[in-house]
């Protein structure tokens, strides 16, 4: 048992948000009731406000990617729970540009519905709104449900590329189309060797036998569809990279995210990244952009995800464009 | 006032709605409907007309009511308000608003007829309304809405939290579908005295369900 350092008698999500906004007071403002984080600065040429959001427990996503060059606002829910439509609606009203607002939504039922309700309200107010749905997790591809692939760390790639495109003055339709292209050119897969600790009970969310890992785990503490005997790291990374590449269009360059799930050290993540780069190189694909770190965790789960985006010609320029957010600066 | 009547219905049906939602969902629908309508009635001025009633109720359910169904009901009410405000407080405008609201609910909630949701009351009742003539025979429509809601007992859930229990929900109607039948009951009660649906009039009030879920424990 590893009890989190949280005061369970308080609203620790709100308190974390207040701490985050104070730490990054040069970049963001915190709006209270309803709660959302808003960028202090945005490019003068930006015509569309970019808004994302989702459950808490995935920090720095999304508030950490609010700021010049990326999101105009982020809307946090409670731990692993979608934000309320009112938060999304009011954040969108606050940052809508002359061409309206674009919602970047991870594919979960609650997020789809709440962003959808907010979009109906914005349309009612005459504010143009469009949505980019991110559904990158290959582990959920074959499920026999109508829900489709989950959205995970590729959201950060979408937020970065769309932020740069918004800064050059792209209109709402162009951004929505680009976002859809980036989402469909991005896939991820995640593994874990230890579940996250429940902030409520202090217990691990699920048991895992010695020597096994969860292959295809999600970011809400849900178990993967399969547990596998733990292979050596190079073999594991090679298998994951191969599986992700197999779901993507052919290309000779890649934007790569190696994302810690919360309980994974930098030395582990950089080992993984070096092995991903090797695996890609072996298949004739070179790393053209990358981000390594704890970007979209599942609280303190010990594990990591690999995201690969096969970029179109002008996406590398968008990836390298300036950004000034709490979690990503370029 | 319409919303006062709807609130009375939600108070009377609270125990039964909670019970049927516990059988298939998370048990918060009775709390959410009653809590929302209590807030609406408290916020409404005494002389509010129908348009104001739907406007205030729409915003309140969208902003303040938990669960997924609460804000979806808010979308329905808001669309009715827009239609009444644009075309006047007629039956035709009311029906057009219900049509627009149902379309919005289906766009957002992605539910189709047969998924065991409030759409299973709304969509077939709108079919009935299209052939009901003008003025609408609201008492007959309320009866049809109740029949449609009851018929969800034979449907297997595909959307929302209820989908997690699958066929175990069979035999009990969907709480959201019944809650919408009560809206039609309230609309009909403006002009005629209707019996209250017997299965929703519970003599005893059970303990309230635990803390209302935020919309999106659905996220995971």
């Amino acid at each position: 048992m590893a009890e989190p350092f949280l005061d369970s008698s308080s609203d620790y999500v709100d308190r974390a948000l207040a701490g985050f906004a104070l730490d990054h007071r040069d970049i963001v403002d915190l709006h209270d009731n309803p709660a959302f984080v808003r960028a202090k600065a945005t490019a003068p040429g930006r015509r569309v406000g970019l808004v994302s959001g989702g459950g808490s427990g995935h920090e720095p996503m999304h508030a950490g990617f609010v700021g010049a060059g990326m999101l105009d606002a982020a809307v946090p829910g409670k731990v692993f729970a979608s934000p309320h439509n009112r938060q999304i609606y009011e954040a969108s009203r606050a940052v809508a540009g002359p061409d309206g607002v674009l919602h970047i939504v991870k594919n979960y039922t609650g997020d789809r519905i709440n962003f959808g309700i907010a979009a109906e309200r914005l349309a009612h107010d005459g504010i143009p709104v469009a949505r980019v749905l991110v559904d990158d997790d290959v582990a959920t591809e074959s499920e026999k449900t109508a829900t489709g692939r989950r959205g995970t760390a590729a959201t950060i790639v979408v937020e970065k590329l769309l932020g740069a495109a918004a800064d050059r003055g792209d209109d709402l339709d162009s951004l929505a189309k680009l976002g859809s292209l980036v989402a469909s050119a991005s896939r991820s897969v995640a593994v874990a060797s230890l579940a996250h600790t429940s902030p409520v009970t202090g217990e691990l969310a699920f048991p895992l036998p010695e020597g096994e890992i969860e292959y295809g785990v999600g970011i809400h503490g849900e178990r993967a569809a399969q547990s596998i005997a733990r292979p050596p790291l190079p073999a594991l990374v090679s298998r994951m990279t191969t599986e992700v590449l197999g779901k993507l269009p052919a290309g000779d360059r890649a934007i790569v995210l190696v994302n810690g799930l919360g309980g994974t050290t930098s030395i582990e993540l950089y080992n993984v990244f070096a092995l991903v780069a090797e695996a890609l190189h072996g298949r004739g694909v070179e790393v053209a952009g990358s981000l390594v770190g704890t970007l979209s965790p599942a609280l303190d789960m010990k594990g990591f995800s690999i995201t690969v985006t096969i970029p179109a010609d002008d996406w590398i320029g968008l990836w390298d464009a300036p950004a000034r957010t709490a979690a990503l600066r370029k | 006032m319409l919303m006062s009547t709807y609130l009375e219905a939600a108070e009377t049906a609270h125990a039964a709605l909670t019970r049927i939602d516990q059988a298939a969902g998370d048990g918060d629908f009775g709390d959410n409907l009653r809590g929302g309508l209590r807030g609406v009635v408290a916020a409404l001025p005494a002389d509010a007309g129908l348009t104001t009633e739907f406007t205030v109720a729409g915003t309140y359910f969208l902003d303040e009511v938990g669960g997924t169904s609460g804000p979806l009901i808010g979308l329905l009410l808001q669309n009715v308000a827009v239609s009444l405000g644009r075309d006047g407080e007629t039956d035709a405008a009311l029906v057009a608003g219900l049509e627009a609201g149902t379309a919005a609910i289906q766009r957002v909630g992605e539910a189709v007829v047969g998924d065991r949701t409030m759409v299973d009351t709304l969509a077939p009742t709108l079919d009935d309304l299209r052939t009901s003539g003008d003025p609408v025979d609201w008492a007959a429509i309320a009866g049809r809405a109740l029949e449609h809601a009851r018929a969800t007992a034979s449907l297997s859930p595909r959307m929302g939290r209820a989908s997690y229990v699958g066929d175990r929900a069979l035999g009990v109607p969907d709480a959201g579908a019944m809650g919408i039948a009560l809206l039609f009951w309230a609309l009909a009660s403006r002009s005629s005295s209707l019996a209250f649906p017997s299965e929703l009039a519970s003599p005893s009030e059970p303990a309230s369900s635990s803390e209302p879920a935020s919309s999106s424990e659905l996220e995971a």
Side-chain angles (χ1 to χ4, degrees), chain A residues 53-56 58 78-86 89-90 106-114 116-117 120-121 124-125 131 146 220 222, chain B residues 58-59 61-68 71-72 75 78-79 82 100 103-105 107-110 158-160 164 214-220:
Chain A
S56 292
H58 309 306
K78 300 303 179 194
V79 170
F80 297 166
S82 165
H84 193 279
N85 84 78
R86 179 172 164 234
Y89 169 65
E90 296 205 13
K106 300 195 298 304
N107 187 28
Y108 297 101
T109 304
D111 285 350
R112 290 174 75 126
I113 291 178
N114 287 301
I117 293 170
E120 293 284 334
R121 302 183 74 178
H124 171 74
D125 294 349
R131 164 189 293 194
H220 299 98
E222 66 271 42
Chain B
T59 304
F61 272 83
L62 282 165
D63 277 352
E64 308 293 344
V65 181
T68 303
L72 288 176
L75 275 185
Q78 182 182 64
N79 275 277
V82 168
I105 286 175
R107 267 197 305 277
V108 167
E110 300 169 27
R158 195 182 68 87
M159 307 292 292
Y164 303 150
S214 78
S215 26
S216 35
E217 285 146 23
L218 269 175
E219 189 196 46

Side-chain angles (χ1 to χ4, degrees), chain A residues 215 235-248 279-280 283:
Chain A
Y215 188 94
L236 176 62
V237 171
S238 173
R239 172 179 172 170
M240 293 168 72
T241 308
T242 300
E243 181 170 13
V244 168
L245 271 187
K247 307 290 187 187
L248 287 168
L280 288 172
R283 296 170 152 272

Side-chain angles (χ1 to χ4, degrees), chain A residues 32-106:
Chain A
D32 184 38
N33 190 27
F36 61 86
V37 171
R38 179 182 182 173
K40 269 190 152 64
T42 192
R46 193 178 276 219
R47 294 158 61 190
V48 176
L50 299 184
V51 177
S52 190
S56 292
H58 309 306
E59 293 72 25
M61 192 171 74
H62 293 276
F65 301 106
V66 170
M70 289 187 76
L71 297 174
D72 293 291
V75 185
K78 300 303 179 194
V79 170
F80 297 166
S82 165
H84 193 279
N85 84 78
R86 179 172 164 234
Q87 293 173 271
I88 303 162
Y89 169 65
E90 296 205 13
S92 301
R93 282 184 59 93
V95 304
D99 276 354
V101 64
L102 183 69
H103 290 165
I104 301 169
V105 183
K106 300 195 298 304

